[in-house]
Amino acid sequence: QQPVQSPQAVILREGEDAVINCSSSKALYSVHWYRQKHGEAPVFLMILLKGGEQKGHDKISASFNEKKQQSSLYLTASQLSYSGTYFCGTEGSNAGKSTFGDGTTLTVKP
Amino acid sequence: GAVVSQHPSWVICKSGTSVKIECRSLDFQATTMFWYRQFPKQSLMLMATSNEGSKATYEQGVEKDKFLINHASLTLSTLTVTSAHPEDSSFYICSAPLSGLNYGYTFGSGTRLTVV
């Protein structure tokens, strides 16, 4: 079953922060996050495997709440290059078979 | 590292013809390749999973006779859209696991198929 992402879209000014949420109605084995620019393939950002795990790179981080079957992606001090559509992909017990959310379109303006 | 090269980037073909899309893993062996289709402003929809040396596994509602998948080697998986129709026009993307299933996935650059 497809995870639900929120919000669907967000518009920011450079330097502002954003949070994108991903929730599932079923138990999750892992959650992974991607960013896709228009007309391009998705680019892998990070994967979270364990409940309570948090990861980050530069100013983009994510957390995974296994009990709530949720993950959140945090973008701090956003840059123009952060613009794109962010997808979460989830895996249940059938590891290796991902289901993607509908995406969150992030627009960062100068 | 872990690059999947996908060709062609775009293709325009006439209704009724067949189109082959190739995905090559350049610096690793991809025993598994996932094939997705993405319509404008929509999410990635898994079509099928190919495994080297065995038959592909298709998702419910995907016609296996129309979307032929071949994974003959550890570095090449192909998707052939047979007897293409305008409704098959879409963005097709392949993806392979990175170093096993615990490290995310790497995607090909995608193929924009337009059937006229």
Side-chain angles (χ1 to χ4, degrees), chain B residues 91-110:
Chain B
F91 192 51
Y92 292 86
I93 312 173
C94 60
S95 169
L98 289 167
S99 300
L101 299 175
N102 292 338
Y103 296 91
Y105 302 84
T106 183
F107 285 84
S109 52

Side-chain angles (χ1 to χ4, degrees), chain A residues 52-63:
Chain A
E53 186 172 28
Q54 296 181 55
K55 277 187 180 178
H57 182 68
D58 284 340
K59 293 176 181 175
I60 299 177
S61 61
S63 63

Side-chain angles (χ1 to χ4, degrees), chain B residues 3-4 6 9 18 23 30 33 42 48-49 62 64 84-85 96 98 101 106 114:
Chain B
V3 174
V4 172
Q6 184 171 348
S9 298
S18 296
C23 279
M33 193 74 76
Q42 292 188 22
T49 303
V62 177
K64 57 181 70 176
H85 288 101
L98 289 167
L101 299 175
T106 183
T114 304

Side-chain angles (χ1 to χ4, degrees), chain A residues 2 29 32 34 36 39-44 47 49 87 91 95-98 100-103, chain B residues 34 36 38 41-46 59 91 93 98 101-105 107-110 112:
Chain A
Q2 191 178 18
Y29 170 77
H32 28 110
Y34 301 85
Q36 184 178 30
E40 300 177 10
V43 172
F44 171 71
I47 185 169
L49 294 172
F87 291 97
E91 291 173 1
K97 192 170 173 178
S98 299
F100 289 87
D102 280 335
Chain B
F34 300 101
Y36 295 90
Q38 186 179 34
K41 297 188 180 180
Q42 292 188 22
S43 187
L44 298 155
M45 298 304 295
L46 181 65
E59 296 301 301
F91 192 51
I93 312 173
L98 289 167
L101 299 175
N102 292 338
Y103 296 91
Y105 302 84
F107 285 84
S109 52
R112 175 79 55 196

Side-chain angles (χ1 to χ4, degrees), chain B residues 41-108:
Chain B
K41 297 188 180 180
Q42 292 188 22
S43 187
L44 298 155
M45 298 304 295
L46 181 65
M47 298 175 65
T49 303
S50 73
N51 294 290
E52 185 268 335
S54 62
K55 288 184 179 180
T57 305
Y58 290 82
E59 296 301 301
Q60 195 170 9
V62 177
E63 299 175 57
K64 57 181 70 176
D65 293 332
K66 181 170 184 62
F67 298 100
L68 300 178
I69 289 175
N70 185 284
H71 197 149
S73 77
L74 287 170
T75 58
L76 176 64
S77 177
T78 62
L79 167 68
T80 301
V81 183
T82 63
S83 186
H85 288 101
E87 57 265 30
D88 297 326
S89 298
S90 188
F91 192 51
Y92 292 86
I93 312 173
C94 60
S95 169
L98 289 167
S99 300
L101 299 175
N102 292 338
Y103 296 91
Y105 302 84
T106 183
F107 285 84

